[in-house]
Amino acid sequence: MSLKDRLEIILITYNRKAQLMQTLLTLLHAKSPVRDFKIRVLDNHSSDGTQEIVDMLAQNHPNLQYSQNP
């Protein structure tokens, strides 16, 4: 079993769209060693368009998942 099968990256956010975008672009960069790891964004019900950013990136990165807390 490889490391990518045992490790998940979890990002917790709330109304930090710009910072989240930069973090995700870094993690998903072609030279990133964790590019293919499962990446989950847990959103504490942001109102700044966080979900749209994640949805846009997830179109090309199926390992990127989004969950929003009520």
Side-chain angles (χ1 to χ4, degrees), residues 31-49:
K31 293 185 180 184
S32 170
V34 296
R35 173 187 170 95
D36 296 323
F37 284 44
K38 187 175 187 178
I39 302 170
R40 184 183 310 269
V41 175
L42 300 178
D43 180 13
N44 286 325
H45 209 80
S46 296
S47 59
D48 65 348

Side-chain angles (χ1 to χ4, degrees), residues 8-11 38-42 63-67:
E8 178 177 355
I9 297 169
I10 298 176
L11 303 170
K38 187 175 187 178
I39 302 170
R40 184 183 310 269
V41 175
L42 300 178
N63 57 311
L64 179 59
Q65 298 179 349
Y66 175 85
S67 297

Side-chain angles (χ1 to χ4, degrees), residues 3 5 12 18 21-25 27-28 36-39 41 47 56 58 60 63 65 70:
L3 185 59
D5 296 325
I12 301 170
M21 178 68 142
Q22 183 60 43
T23 300
L24 290 173
L25 290 175
L27 292 172
L28 297 169
D36 296 323
F37 284 44
K38 187 175 187 178
I39 302 170
V41 175
S47 59
M56 178 188 68
N60 295 319
N63 57 311
Q65 298 179 349

